[in-house]
Amino acid sequence: MTENFILHEDPISGHCYKIKLTAALLQLPLERRTYSIIKGETRSPEFLETINPNGRVPVLQFGKRSLTQSNACCLWLAHGSKLIPEDHFAYITMMQWLFFEQNEHEPNIATPRYWRKFLGAENMDAAQHAALPGKYALGLSALQVMNDHLTHNHFFIGRVISLADIALYAYTHIAGDGGFDLSCYPAIERWMDNIAATPGYIGMDC
Ligand SMILES: N[C@@H](CCC(=O)N[C@@H](CS)C(=O)NCC(=O)O)C(=O)O
């Protein structure tokens, strides 16, 4: 792939990190344009008009085209690479974990991190305080599902790293910021070490 990629991002975002990690593992250059979610910069009229009418990052731009949704951006970057299994069942299984990440993992693990680390308990409204216990319970359940799977698997799809690992690693490795204790999940801890040992790995820079 020879396109010039521009990533519109906020460094505090795990979703944006997924794309940077994918590009790093594939040695794809990525130009980064940063915005502050906390300052509302993705909601400015200019951002809404020229970058993403949905007011969110990440946005991956290439030529006249662009994509939103972190996992879609990773799929575009990794097309035809070793990060996407060739076998059809393995491919669909990878997609299954990407949907799990968006539906069951991220809403319950990333959101408490954002509220605790960036918003602060004193700035959370009543609805957020009320939602927190339910999010913790569902977050713990998602981590248990991951730990059970990884007890018998090196990576999410057998022995080879794929986008399923990248997508789930992004908010798992910083789940402690949201109050989750990862030492209760030894298979997840081993898996995170395996990812960090992958050639080309980069950490999250916030
Ligand atoms: N499902 C989307 C989530 C995108 C998202 O929620 N982005 C957050 C940052 S992690 C954002 O831009 N929030 C700013 C806002 O909503 O104003 C993805 O995977 O990319």
Side-chain angles (χ1 to χ4, degrees):
M1 207 180 279
T2 54
E3 284 163 305
N4 290 325
F5 292 108
I6 300 170
L7 177 65
H8 299 269
E9 63 137 348
D10 184 330
I12 73 168
S13 159
H15 289 311
C16 298
Y17 171 60
K18 289 176 196 174
I19 297 165
K20 291 180 281 188
L21 180 55
T22 300
L25 295 179
L26 296 174
Q27 297 182 302
L28 294 172
L30 206 53
E31 182 184 328
R32 290 161 60 176
R33 302 217 180 134
T34 57
Y35 307 82
S36 167
I37 299 166
I38 295 166
K39 290 183 186 160
E41 288 175 0
T42 65
R43 300 282 165 169
S44 72
E46 189 192 353
F47 186 94
L48 296 173
E49 194 180 325
T50 62
I51 310 296
N52 181 8
N54 197 23
R56 291 179 172 84
V57 286
V59 177
L60 183 68
Q61 194 182 330
F62 39 101
K64 292 193 163 82
R65 298 188 289 182
S66 65
L67 285 169
T68 63
Q69 297 297 327
S70 54
N71 292 346
C73 299
C74 292
L75 284 161
W76 180 263
L77 284 182
H79 179 67
S81 81
K82 59 191 178 181
L83 294 177
I84 298 182
E86 280 180 28
D87 173 79
H88 192 54
F89 183 73
Y91 171 76
I92 297 296
T93 308
M94 181 192 79
M95 296 301 291
Q96 166 201 287
W97 286 113
L98 297 188
F99 294 127
F100 169 84
E101 186 269 337
Q102 288 282 302
N103 289 306
E104 295 175 44
H105 182 279
E106 185 271 349
N108 301 308
I109 292 178
T111 306
R113 167 183 177 261
Y114 185 76
W115 288 349
R116 263 177 66 134
K117 183 168 178 175
F118 299 105
L119 196 57
E122 66 283 4
N123 297 315
M124 285 168 58
D125 63 26
Q128 289 165 331
H129 278 291
L132 205 48
K135 288 204 172 280
Y136 276 124
L138 291 170
L140 292 172
S141 158
L143 290 171
Q144 193 61 53
V145 168
M146 291 172 63
N147 196 72
D148 290 347
H149 182 76
L150 291 167
T151 300
H152 307 290
N153 294 279
H154 200 67
F155 289 115
F156 271 90
I157 315 297
R159 296 201 62 80
V160 183
I161 188 168
S162 73
L163 292 185
D165 301 288
I166 293 171
L168 283 163
Y169 178 78
Y171 280 112
T172 300
H173 85 295
I174 49 174
D177 292 344
F180 294 96
D181 179 6
L182 291 179
S183 69
C184 304
Y185 305 97
I188 289 181
E189 289 198 309
R190 175 189 45 73
W191 165 77
M192 292 193 303
D193 290 344
N194 291 339
I195 292 178
T198 303
Y201 171 87
I202 55 164
M204 197 168 158
D205 50 14
C206 84

